[in-house]
Amino acid sequence: LTILAQKPFGKSDETAGLSPLECARMVKPTVLLGLSACRGAFSEDLIREISKYCERPVIYPLSNPISVAECTNKEAIQWSEGRAIFASGSPFQPIEYNGKTYVPSQCNNMYIFPGLGFGAAVSQSKIVSDKMIHAASIAVAEMVTEEESQNGMVFPELNRIREVSQHVALKVALCSVKEGYARNETLKSISDEEEFKGYLLSKTYDPVYVPLVRKEFRHV
């Protein structure tokens, strides 16, 4: 982003030297992104403070491994009284809270990169633009089912990663064509989205291996 584009998000240094809790009381954030590799950085007091004024606080302890995660999914859910929107860098197990099962999502670039790269490569895009990356992020969100959302997930189930990647690739390639960066003439000539999708599927590697059969070697 340019300096001008960043200006609306700029803050003064009035929070310099404050603890996370003191900072939260002053600026009232609604999102916590954990990149500190400091276990416990998202304390009970901090999460409860944010939950006072934010109905659905976004809490993402992204540090790996679990031993350095800023908090656990159990802590985030309990301290926010079941209202946190949670995803983490490390995988956590589902938990029960007030009779409801909360299934945590793992926030990982695997949801974006395969489809982004595939869409850019197949479309023979001159560049990977900001809009293509944005299209990839929207595509991942579109793949979250209602059931997954109800269970507290913000990313699709990992066992659907191939389907997710194909959808991301589709949206990225479509964006590349729309922006005029695509150089694949065949793809550019396709106006029907289903046909467009079929073309991408035809270029998808399918890792299917023929079973090996052992035969005893006999020297003649």
Side-chain angles (χ1 to χ4, degrees), residues 81-134:
E81 299 178 345
R83 294 184 282 117
I85 298 173
F86 181 90
S88 57
S90 297
F92 285 100
Q93 294 299 314
I95 67 161
E96 295 282 337
Y97 179 78
N98 282 352
K100 180 179 177 180
T101 300
Y102 291 82
V103 182
S105 288
Q106 186 175 359
C107 182
N108 194 291
N109 55 28
M110 63 186 169
Y111 286 105
I112 292 286
F113 284 174
L116 177 63
F118 181 48
V122 172
S123 65
Q124 298 174 23
S125 188
K126 297 177 183 178
I127 65 170
V128 175
S129 68
D130 289 348
K131 287 185 178 179
M132 289 165 66
I133 295 174
H134 182 252

Side-chain angles (χ1 to χ4, degrees), residues 7 11 17-18 23 33 63 74 92 125 128 136 138 142 144 146 152 157 161 166-167 171 194-196 207 215 220:
K7 190 175 180 179
K11 300 290 183 183
L18 297 181
C23 183
L33 293 180
S63 297
K74 183 177 181 179
F92 285 100
S125 188
V128 175
I138 296 298
E142 290 173 343
V144 178
E146 181 63 29
E157 286 276 11
I161 188 63
Q166 289 170 344
H167 185 63
K171 296 302 183 179
E194 283 303 311
E195 186 180 350
F196 199 101
K215 289 186 177 182
V220 178

Side-chain angles (χ1 to χ4, degrees), residues 9 15 29 37 44 63 78 92-94 99 107 116 121 145 148-149 152 157 162 172 176 190 195 197 200 209 216:
F9 306 100
T15 59
E44 180 174 357
S63 297
Q78 288 183 340
F92 285 100
Q93 294 299 314
C107 182
L116 177 63
T145 67
E148 290 167 341
S149 181
E157 286 276 11
R162 187 174 175 84
V172 167
S176 178
I190 301 174
E195 186 180 350
K197 181 178 179 180
L200 289 180
Y209 299 93
E216 184 178 347

Side-chain angles (χ1 to χ4, degrees), residues 25-65:
R25 287 170 176 164
M26 178 175 289
V27 303
K28 293 184 167 40
T30 57
V31 177
L32 290 179
L33 293 180
L35 307 167
S36 66
C38 181
R39 178 71 181 99
F42 294 170
S43 66
E44 180 174 357
D45 287 343
L46 177 60
I47 293 177
R48 289 193 182 280
E49 175 66 26
I50 292 175
S51 300
K52 287 179 183 178
Y53 54 80
C54 181
E55 181 62 27
R56 299 299 307 277
V58 176
I59 301 175
Y60 280 19
L62 300 180
S63 297
N64 287 308

Side-chain angles (χ1 to χ4, degrees), residues 192-211:
D192 180 72
E193 186 167 317
E194 283 303 311
E195 186 180 350
F196 199 101
K197 181 178 179 180
Y199 180 85
L200 289 180
L201 287 174
S202 72
K203 301 297 182 180
T204 303
Y205 173 67
D206 196 9
V208 175
Y209 299 93
V210 178

Side-chain angles (χ1 to χ4, degrees), residues 3-20:
I3 296 298
L4 187 61
Q6 295 177 46
K7 190 175 180 179
F9 306 100
K11 300 290 183 183
S12 71
D13 61 356
E14 60 186 2
T15 59
L18 297 181
S19 70

